[in-house]
């Protein structure tokens, strides 16, 4: 027999036991046999499992194993406690036994103050009970019928009184996780700073780990429940969290560099189109500016980081960039005119140009001359390809 269970008697067995004057296991006796609650005199009460405040217990009873579950509760604060039954699949019967009044294991009158009952059919006020600090109580969970199955969670919650019902302060194990008891005896909830670190407690006031969304912001909590701040690498991606722990998205300036974080919060690298403009981010995530050679091509990123296209004057020289931002070299036609961009530097050439033994002349705006042009007081003739006929 499981220690924290009390056997319940069937109607026939119970009747026989009553006739013989023998106490059977604790049972809610049908009114046909008398309104009594009987405590067996050889039951080991000290073997009952401990129950703490706000410490849910899973009551599972079957048709074959209809024993009631028994727990010992020693309150650390005097006041009114709510008897909470949740996730119930059927009716239930919860009882509170004041052990001081029945410690001699005598038969207890069902209607006496020694046993307080709570069930779906009983008044709402029966869900509340006054516990006194330091006394020993036994709390049992059962059903309203013999050989009836039940499945529900039982706990004592919503304390109203003086003192701390948890009996301690700081971190406690609760609900399969960790909760924090503040100095006022209440559990921390939502975003809470503890010892200089931020933690997040869910609706059950249990500390969360991993990703958490709250009030439109995303947070990440490590295995201890502490919120990440600053730079953090998570599953291969880099993220940045503010001092309050909120995940950053969009542009972020940090330590002299600009970074961009996608809608998921992951730091971007490489080419990125943002608000219609192209930017390039190094492997570290830092936005680059100025001249950059990428995949064999030269690009120029303005001071804002935006990639330039078309004609651009940079450090006194003109350059031409195609629609993808790559710097152009050699002969290039623009707006119906030909220009020559230095093969190495990409800078637009002007004046006389010798290529493959042929002379060309590029005007002050860089455009190639055709026809007749007086240069230095001498008239020169250039064919349709710009080649000088009388160099």
């Amino acid at each position: 027999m499981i220690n924290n269970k009390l056997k319940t008697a069937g109607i026939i067995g119970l009747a026989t036991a009553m006739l013989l004057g023998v106490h059977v296991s604790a049972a809610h006796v049908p009114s046909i046999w008398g309104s009594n609650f009987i405590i067996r005199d050889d039951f080991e009460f000290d073997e009952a499992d401990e129950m703490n405040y706000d410490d849910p217990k899973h009551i599972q009873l079957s048709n074959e194993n209809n024993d009631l579950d028994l727990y010992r509760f020693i309150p650390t604060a005097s006041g009114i406690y709510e008897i909470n039954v949740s996730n119930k699949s059927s009716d239930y019967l919860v009882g509170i036994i004041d052990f001081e009044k029945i410690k001699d294991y005598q038969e207890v009158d069902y209607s006496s103050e020694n046993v307080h009952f709570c069930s779906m059919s009983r008044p709402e006020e029966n869900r509340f009970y006054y516990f006194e600090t330091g006394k020993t109580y036994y709390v049992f969970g059962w059903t309203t019928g013999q050989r009836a199955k039940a499945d529900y969670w039982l706990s004592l919650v919503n304390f109203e009184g003086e003192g701390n019902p948890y009996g301690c302060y700081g971190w406690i194990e609760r609900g399969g996780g960790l909760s924090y008891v503040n100095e006022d005896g209440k559990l921390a909830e939502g975003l809470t700073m503890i010892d200089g670190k931020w933690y997040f407690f869910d609706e059950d006031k249990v500390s969360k780990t991993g990703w958490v969304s709250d009030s439109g912001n995303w947070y990440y909590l490590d295995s201890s429940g502490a919120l990440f701040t600053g730079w953090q690498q998570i599953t291969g991606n880099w993220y940045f969290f503010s001092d309050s722990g909120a995940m950053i998205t969009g542009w972020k300036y940090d330590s002299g560099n600009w970074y961009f974080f996608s809608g998921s919060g992951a730091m971007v690298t490489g080419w990125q189109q943002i608000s219609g403009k192209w930017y390039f981010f190094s492997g570290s995530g830092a936005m680059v500016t100025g001249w950059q050679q990428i995949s064999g091509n030269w690009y120029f990123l303005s001071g804002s980081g935006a990639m330039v296209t078309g004609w651009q004057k940079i450090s006194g020289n003109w350059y031409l960039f195609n629609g993808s931002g790559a710097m152009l070299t050699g002969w290039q036609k623009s707006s119906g005119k030909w220009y020559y961009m230095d093969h190495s530097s990409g800078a637009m050439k002007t004046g006389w140009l010798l290529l493959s033994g042929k002379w060309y002349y590029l005007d002050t705006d860089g455009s190639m001359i055709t026809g007749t042009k007086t240069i230095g007081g001498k008239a020169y003739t250039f064919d349709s390809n710009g080649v000088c006929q009388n160099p």
Side-chain angles (χ1 to χ4, degrees), residues 16 44 263:
T16 303
E44 297 287 344

Side-chain angles (χ1 to χ4, degrees), residues 327-346:
M327 182 191 76
L328 298 173
T329 61
W331 286 109
Q332 301 295 330
K333 192 174 185 179
S334 174
S335 300
K337 296 181 180 182
W338 284 95
Y339 300 82
Y340 189 83
M341 319 305 291
D342 186 83
H343 185 73
S344 297
S345 69

Side-chain angles (χ1 to χ4, degrees), residues 271 280 288-302 306-310 312 314 319-329 341-347:
W271 286 110
F280 190 83
V288 299
T289 60
W291 287 106
Q292 301 293 330
Q293 189 175 34
I294 303 168
S295 301
N297 293 312
W298 281 97
Y299 299 83
F300 189 83
L301 293 307
S302 67
M307 179 193 78
V308 300
T309 60
Q312 300 292 331
I314 302 169
Y319 298 84
L320 184 60
F321 302 86
N322 66 16
S324 66
M327 182 191 76
L328 298 173
T329 61
M341 319 305 291
D342 186 83
H343 185 73
S344 297
S345 69

Side-chain angles (χ1 to χ4, degrees), residues 10-31:
I11 294 177
I12 297 177
L14 179 59
T16 303
M18 291 178 68
L19 290 172
L20 295 174
V22 178
H23 282 185
V24 299
S25 302
H28 173 203
V29 184
S31 60

